[in-house]
Amino acid sequence: MPGVALVGAGCALLLLALSSGFAAAGDLGRDDPSIFEGLLPRQLYVGPVAPLAFPSPAIPHSLYPLTDDEERLRNQSYALIRPPQHRDLWNLLVASFREAKVFPLGVLFFDRTAYADMLIGLPFRSEAGRYSRLIDDVKGDALLLGPFLATACRVLDMDAKRARSLAYVVGLTPDEEGNALARINENRFLIEWVERSLHERAGSYRYAVERLVIAAPSPLAVEAERAIERFEAQLPGIRPYLAQCGAPAAAVCQACPAQPRVIAK
């Protein structure tokens, strides 16, 4: 499959050597340049599913350039696949390694209890701070969801058109078809990854508020419960919304695993 050679031992060693954050905001909200900027094509390192960021044979990788929406999809996915308890660690990584954009997979393994442990264990000045952190995190996720889905819909629509176009390309080579299908699969994989992460973090939020109620009761628990309920209410609509965006399910690489679990623990 095109690009598979890029995900071997060399990429793994590079990942370990650079183990760092990515997508830091630079001046005026612009991303600071990656250490790979100008040296490698952006499709090799931008986003969680890029070959250098996600060196795994579980999915094929495409060598085709990223469209603006595909790059935007990858940038918007960062905060939504990060386990919520790692927000502070994430910010520290970004601040410490602003010039690198290799994905730190080590902070992605999901533990449903970890967010509650963090809220209860950190030295907040009062229980109000613990509930405020929970409420802010839930509302923040809810605000990020809409823009991500809008981008995902455009990407899926373009992928559907891409898949249909394959039948009409004169002299289409196996490498060209493979790169096109690999990009479709990368996009679908990332969208499904985000969807699973959102359901998992909703479970973390629910677990956390239940533990806070018995560890540090507060009238703010009611506001936290309502915020979580509003967030959970958005999740069942994700798949029906995306199903109307022209996702080319039949065109995606049939040899790839259906829904690989890359962040479960």
Side-chain angles (χ1 to χ4, degrees):
M1 198 69 191
V4 170
L6 295 169
V7 299
C11 292
L13 289 174
L14 181 59
L15 179 70
L16 291 173
L18 294 172
S19 60
S20 58
F22 46 79
D27 294 338
L28 301 178
R30 292 188 294 268
D31 286 351
D32 283 342
S34 165
I35 59 172
F36 300 128
E37 193 76 49
L39 299 176
L40 296 174
R42 294 175 68 79
Q43 63 267 24
L44 300 185
Y45 63 88
V46 172
V49 294
L52 293 180
F54 187 61
S56 168
I59 62 170
H61 294 287
S62 175
L63 299 181
Y64 280 156
L66 296 170
T67 67
D68 290 345
D69 273 332
E70 286 171 344
E71 186 166 341
R72 187 174 296 110
L73 183 79
R74 284 148 178 76
N75 289 332
Q76 289 173 333
S77 72
Y78 292 146
L80 293 173
I81 62 178
R82 177 210 65 214
Q85 72 272 12
H86 286 311
R87 186 182 73 175
D88 297 322
L89 171 60
W90 197 271
N91 292 339
L92 176 62
L93 286 170
V94 169
S96 300
F97 302 96
R98 295 173 67 85
E99 71 277 9
K101 291 192 178 182
V102 177
F103 205 71
L105 289 175
V107 302
L108 292 180
F109 293 102
F110 178 73
D111 181 349
R112 183 169 177 264
T113 68
Y115 183 68
D117 293 342
M118 180 273 295
L119 285 180
I120 294 173
L122 285 181
F124 288 92
R125 295 184 63 181
S126 75
E127 71 278 2
R130 304 178 198 280
Y131 284 95
S132 294
R133 167 68 184 269
L134 172 57
I135 293 166
D136 288 346
D137 285 349
V138 175
K139 289 182 176 179
D141 284 351
L143 290 175
L144 293 172
L145 179 55
F148 175 82
L149 290 179
T151 303
C153 191
R154 293 194 300 272
V155 168
L156 291 173
D157 182 60
M158 288 296 102
D159 277 347
K161 293 178 171 63
R162 188 202 311 253
R164 290 194 295 269
S165 297
L166 292 175
Y168 303 100
V169 176
V170 177
L172 182 70
T173 68
D175 279 349
E176 289 172 332
E177 181 179 23
N179 275 300
L181 296 181
R183 177 52 47 75
I184 292 172
N185 195 74
E186 283 178 3
N187 294 335
R188 188 191 68 171
F189 184 94
L190 181 56
I191 292 168
E192 291 178 350
W193 187 355
V194 168
E195 183 184 3
R196 290 193 303 273
S197 296
L198 289 169
H199 283 279
E200 288 170 341
R201 66 203 297 144
S204 286
Y205 293 145
R206 175 63 58 187
Y207 181 92
V209 74
E210 291 172 351
R211 267 59 193 178
L212 275 180
V213 165
I214 60 175
S218 168
L220 287 173
V222 175
E223 183 180 349
E225 283 271 5
R226 290 173 178 167
I228 295 169
E229 288 172 358
R230 288 192 294 270
F231 178 61
E232 290 173 330
Q234 296 182 65
L235 304 185
I238 293 177
R239 189 153 298 184
Y241 172 79
L242 294 177
Q244 301 176 16
C245 301
V252 176
C253 172
Q254 299 301 319
C256 304
Q259 287 196 5
R261 298 288 298 175
V262 296
I263 55 175
K265 181 176 181 180

